[in-house]
Amino acid sequence: MIKKLMLAVATLVASMGFAFAQVDVNKADAAALDSVKGVGPAMSKAIIDERTKAGPFKDWADFQKRVKGVADKRAAQLSKAGLQVNGQARDGAPMAAAPADKTAKPAKAGAKPADAKARPEAKPEAAKSAT
């Protein structure tokens, strides 16, 4: 019974390692590509077909240009899930604007900041005693 339990734990640990393994689009087969979250059978077939037709992918920009349906956001997600091009994760991905940037309203003239009460101005006396 203990041997079976130990085997189950070892199998679980080994499978967790595969879930976070890095997969290079230029070297991986369909099964390895399918193991990346966000890559299904259709995309893995498209990757392999394009790689066979036009050669290995040079970089992430080349990968995005040649594989239909992979824009910046999806490329960043795939890279985060472990997909690599020539052993490189996609870095320098444009950051999405924070929701506050889109919804922020310009301040009205003469309006006080919302947290003005939360941060009282330092008194000159306190500044003199600190020196």
Side-chain angles (χ1 to χ4, degrees), residues 57-78:
F57 298 99
K58 296 174 189 168
D59 53 20
W60 275 96
D62 183 38
F63 176 75
Q64 287 180 248
K65 188 170 90 174
R66 291 169 46 191
V67 178
K68 184 179 177 183
V70 181
D72 288 337
K73 184 177 178 182
R74 186 147 188 209
Q77 291 171 340
L78 293 173

Side-chain angles (χ1 to χ4, degrees), residues 22-26 60 78-79 82-90:
Q22 301 297 319
V23 177
D24 194 315
V25 295
N26 290 324
W60 275 96
L78 293 173
S79 179
L83 195 66
Q84 295 183 342
V85 178
N86 281 332
Q88 298 295 316
R90 186 176 192 276

Side-chain angles (χ1 to χ4, degrees), residues 4-5 7 13 26 29 34 40-41 50 52 56 58 61 70 78 81 84 87 92 96 102 107 121 130:
K4 288 182 181 180
L5 181 61
L7 181 62
V13 170
N26 290 324
D29 61 357
D34 285 344
E50 185 60 37
T52 303
K58 296 174 189 168
V70 181
L78 293 173
Q84 295 183 342
K102 292 180 181 178
E121 296 293 326

Side-chain angles (χ1 to χ4, degrees), residues 24-49:
D24 194 315
V25 295
N26 290 324
K27 300 174 185 172
D29 61 357
L33 290 168
D34 285 344
S35 71
V36 176
K37 181 179 179 182
V39 177
M43 180 177 273
S44 62
K45 181 181 182 329
I47 291 170
I48 292 171
D49 288 348

Side-chain angles (χ1 to χ4, degrees), residues 120-130:
E121 296 293 326
K123 294 183 181 179
E125 297 162 4
K128 287 179 185 176
S129 64

